[in-house]
Amino acid sequence: MQPILLDWPASNRHGWGILGLNIFLQWAHDRDIQPLMGAPIAENDVTGYEPSRILAVQKALLDSNRFQQDLARLRGAAMKLDMPVVKGLGNGLADPGGVLGRPNIGRCVFEDTRLDGLDQKLAAYDVLVCASRWNAELLKANARKRVELIYEGVDDSLFRPGPRTGLLDQSKFYIFSGGKVEYRKGHDLVLLAFKEFSHRHDDAVLVTAWHSPWPQLSAGFKGKLKAPLELTPEGVIHVKKWVAMNGINPDKVIEIKQIPNPLMPGVLCDMDCALFPSRAEACTNLPAKEAMACGVPVIVAANTGVKDIIDGANCVALTHQKPIHDFPDCGTESWGESDVGEILNALESLYADASLRNKIGRAGAAWILARGRTWSNHARLLKSLILSL
């Protein structure tokens, strides 16, 4: 059995953590692989999963956590493990340090297109793995390393079409928006469009899942809005105050506090549509794919990594994308600014036609499975790549 270290923490509450946890859960049943995580997996990291599912991988969890006792002593040392090591590389693609392996795989997830000095930064890696054509093409153009594309997925045992829970007023029209509040996610565009849409339709409700473990990174954001996002005295983002200060009736907004990823299908199946006007996505927007898998028609910006989930009538694509040149925090090559008018037209089309919503929702859910955009397929392809090195 081949041990493989995924050298970052697993979690059920944010992107990197969800990635790691789902690969771990898939590999825990694989007779060829012993999955190990870069940090102990705690009980709250697997909250929301069926107890029987966690019990079935209990040995793998215990083995991984015991491995941490030895790995902790090696942190900071330039030591090579006799096993493949997969490291997470974010914006800047700087090596996070710590142990190295045989071989080393760099998982590259970045929106910042300033990519100077990559050959030196990535010298230790045998292969680079990306989750979008956009990221892969940028790496191929700026680094002399082998680059492989393996798309992220969804947990299709959880995210699939299902009946509404009946917990929400069925006479309302629910629009879902998810993701940590930041410029590239386009939450300001969501609010600008919803402000006008809710003035037209009294039954419109915006359902936000915007909380993250890092609220301080969202504080102060306003984008094209008049008022910035503030924190509450408890240090979490003050969503209701933010929407009110920007002219939206807070009674038309349902704020979902941070919940474990396995519980999100219960929210998504109650939605009439989902809106993701991201200015940039390094991968293919995990919440958008989860909504698609649940049969929810999604509206997405046709830019960067999101282009890889746009295929005919499987979603509503925002094709009016303007280049971005006025965001100094990072490079914005191929980023896109969605048009609020086009967002409104998309919302109006879905609002007016339930059969269209159902048609797009069914097509999106079928596409996720037909194209293998599942964590089980992701784990299989990643295993095949690593064992071939």
Side-chain angles (χ1 to χ4, degrees), residues 29-49:
H29 296 287
D30 194 310
R31 295 180 180 180
D32 301 326
I33 291 177
Q34 179 188 12
L36 304 168
M37 292 306 304
I41 302 174
E43 184 176 348
N44 63 341
D45 293 324
V46 294
T47 299
Y49 288 98

Side-chain angles (χ1 to χ4, degrees), residues 170-300:
Q170 300 301 297
S171 68
K172 303 293 185 180
F173 183 81
Y174 296 99
I175 304 165
F176 177 80
S177 173
K180 176 170 66 73
V181 177
E182 57 181 316
Y183 176 79
R184 70 173 185 86
K185 286 287 188 180
H187 295 80
D188 53 329
L189 304 179
V190 170
L191 291 184
L192 287 171
F194 181 74
K195 179 180 179 179
E196 175 61 28
F197 187 78
S198 63
H199 286 164
R200 300 178 187 178
H201 305 287
D202 193 53
D203 57 344
V205 177
L206 179 65
V207 180
T208 68
W210 293 347
H211 288 262
S212 82
W214 310 280
Q216 70 280 3
L217 299 181
S218 299
F221 170 71
K222 67 176 183 178
K224 295 185 177 300
L225 300 169
K226 293 181 179 180
L229 177 62
E230 300 176 4
L231 299 183
T232 69
E234 294 75 31
V236 299
I237 58 174
H238 206 324
V239 173
K240 290 297 187 82
K241 182 178 180 180
W242 192 34
V243 300
M245 291 175 66
N246 285 290
I248 296 171
N249 182 353
D251 293 337
K252 288 192 169 188
V253 176
I254 296 176
E255 177 186 7
I256 298 176
K257 302 296 173 107
Q258 195 173 347
I259 64 172
N261 185 251
L263 300 183
M264 281 305 299
V267 174
L268 291 172
C269 287
D270 280 338
M271 299 297 104
D272 292 291
C273 68
L275 174 57
F276 303 96
S278 299
R279 293 178 170 98
E281 291 287 346
C283 300
T284 48
N285 196 322
L286 181 56
K289 290 200 298 291
E290 291 171 343
M292 290 173 70
C294 288
V296 179
V298 302
I299 303 169
V300 295

Side-chain angles (χ1 to χ4, degrees), residues 24-25 28-29 43 46-63:
F24 183 93
L25 291 175
H29 296 287
E43 184 176 348
V46 294
T47 299
Y49 288 98
E50 288 290 337
S52 59
R53 186 174 181 183
I54 302 305
L55 186 62
V57 298
Q58 193 65 34
K59 182 180 183 303
L61 285 168
L62 291 173
D63 288 344

Side-chain angles (χ1 to χ4, degrees), residues 343-362:
I343 296 173
L344 277 167
N345 290 338
L347 289 171
E348 290 288 0
S349 295
L350 295 175
Y351 178 85
D353 193 341
S355 63
L356 178 63
R357 297 198 300 271
N358 291 334
K359 181 180 179 181
I360 295 173
R362 289 195 303 271

Side-chain angles (χ1 to χ4, degrees), residues 282-343:
C283 300
T284 48
N285 196 322
L286 181 56
K289 290 200 298 291
E290 291 171 343
M292 290 173 70
C294 288
V296 179
V298 302
I299 303 169
V300 295
N303 62 47
T304 60
V306 185
K307 289 182 177 180
D308 293 359
I309 62 170
I310 298 172
D311 188 2
N314 70 339
C315 63
V316 180
L318 302 171
T319 58
H320 298 162
Q321 297 290 310
K322 294 181 179 179
I324 293 172
H325 303 296
D326 57 353
F327 185 63
D329 292 5
C330 69
T332 58
E333 179 184 336
S334 298
W335 287 35
E337 178 88 8
S338 295
D339 179 73
V340 173
E342 188 180 16
I343 296 173

